[in-house]
Amino acid sequence: MLTLSPLRCRRIVFFATCAALAGCAEKPRPSAPPATPEFSADVVGGAKQCAAPDVTLTEGRTVDATMRVGNDGGWCAIAVQLDGKPYAAGLLTTSPEHGNVFIHPVGDNTRIDYTPELGFAGHDRFTVELIPGNPMIRVGVTVTP
């Protein structure tokens, strides 16, 4: 009969535990696939009545655009892009008096959303400058009740 000392038993248990846990070690994760652009069309919250033009921008130039939006709490948008991708940034250089403007990328576009103040009907205007290239869009808005 084989007799093991308490120290020898602890060593055997220790090594057996290490061997068992070695199989549980975190395995390296496969590398992530290369980044691909995400394309989305965010239409949630859009005004039911929205007429916004297609706008072509030229570096360093100002373009005038008109927008017509029904005041139902939704936004109306102008989408622009630079060589098939969104602009790096948009700056609101003239704020609207009766609404809010939100400039953000959506898929391959930079979208300029205008939301009128609830209850407002009439005319409003704002100007956005985009970067790079500094083209500007001067937007005249007609808000209908």
Side-chain angles (χ1 to χ4, degrees), residues 81-109:
Q81 59 179 227
L82 174 67
D83 299 327
K85 57 188 175 183
Y87 280 86
L91 308 168
L92 187 61
T93 58
T94 304
S95 298
E97 292 181 28
H98 304 286
N100 296 304
V101 174
F102 180 49
I103 306 162
H104 58 113
V106 175
D108 289 337
N109 296 312

Side-chain angles (χ1 to χ4, degrees), residues 42-55 65-80 92 96 98-104 106 110-117 122 124 126 128 137 139-144:
D42 175 10
V43 295
V44 176
K48 290 181 178 121
Q49 296 176 10
C50 170
D54 289 331
V55 177
T66 58
M67 174 187 291
R68 187 174 188 81
V69 60
N71 196 342
D72 60 5
W75 49 260
C76 189
I78 295 174
V80 294
L92 187 61
H98 304 286
N100 296 304
V101 174
F102 180 49
I103 306 162
H104 58 113
V106 175
T110 296
R111 202 172 76 192
I112 303 165
D113 297 351
Y114 171 82
T115 307
E117 292 174 348
D124 205 355
F126 62 91
V128 173
I137 304 173
V139 183
V141 183
T142 301
V143 180
T144 58

Side-chain angles (χ1 to χ4, degrees), residues 26-32:
E26 185 174 333
K27 295 179 176 133
R29 295 180 181 184
S31 61

